[in-house]
Amino acid sequence: MARAYRDQARREAEELCARLPWLTSGQAEDLSRHYVQRRLAVTRRMLRDTAERAAELRAEYEARYAALRRDLLRRHAVCACAVLACGVGLCALAGLLTAR
């Protein structure tokens, strides 16, 4: 990937120098070198920023997922307790009704 970015930057530098016909060959080479260096620096910065943002988003999503899992577990526990309490209550009621 790095080679592709460098090759693309070189092609762009060559196109730029072709539009400036008054440059000497030394000036064109210097301009091309500076352009490629600058373009690669910008590309590195963009890739680094993208990777950092991806890490931030991953942390946010993992935190949200953990919160959702806790809420879901809590709801299931409450429902299970409610079903168990209803079952115990019905058993107790049935026991009272059959004892009479």
Side-chain angles (χ1 to χ4, degrees):
M1 249 174 79
R3 186 176 305 222
Y5 283 123
R6 189 178 334 108
D7 291 343
Q8 178 65 30
R10 282 188 184 137
R11 282 191 298 275
E12 290 174 6
E14 290 169 3
E15 291 172 10
L16 175 64
C17 289
R19 286 182 276 171
L20 304 172
W22 60 85
L23 293 176
T24 65
S25 60
Q27 290 171 328
E29 288 174 11
D30 193 41
L31 178 63
S32 293
R33 185 175 46 79
H34 283 291
Y35 181 87
V36 169
Q37 287 175 349
R38 183 73 178 142
R39 176 69 190 279
L40 291 177
V42 168
T43 301
R44 277 189 209 101
R45 187 171 52 249
M46 287 181 2
L47 290 173
R48 188 173 38 251
D49 291 346
T50 301
E52 288 173 3
R53 181 62 181 143
E56 290 171 2
L57 286 174
R58 181 180 179 149
E60 289 175 21
Y61 286 137
E62 286 177 350
R64 180 67 179 143
Y65 179 72
L68 289 173
R69 280 185 64 183
R70 279 191 306 272
D71 290 345
L72 186 62
L73 180 61
R74 191 176 305 124
R75 289 177 187 171
H76 281 294
V78 167
C79 287
C81 288
V83 167
L84 184 61
C86 288
V88 169
L90 288 175
C91 285
L93 180 62
L96 288 176
L97 292 176
T98 57
R100 289 185 178 186

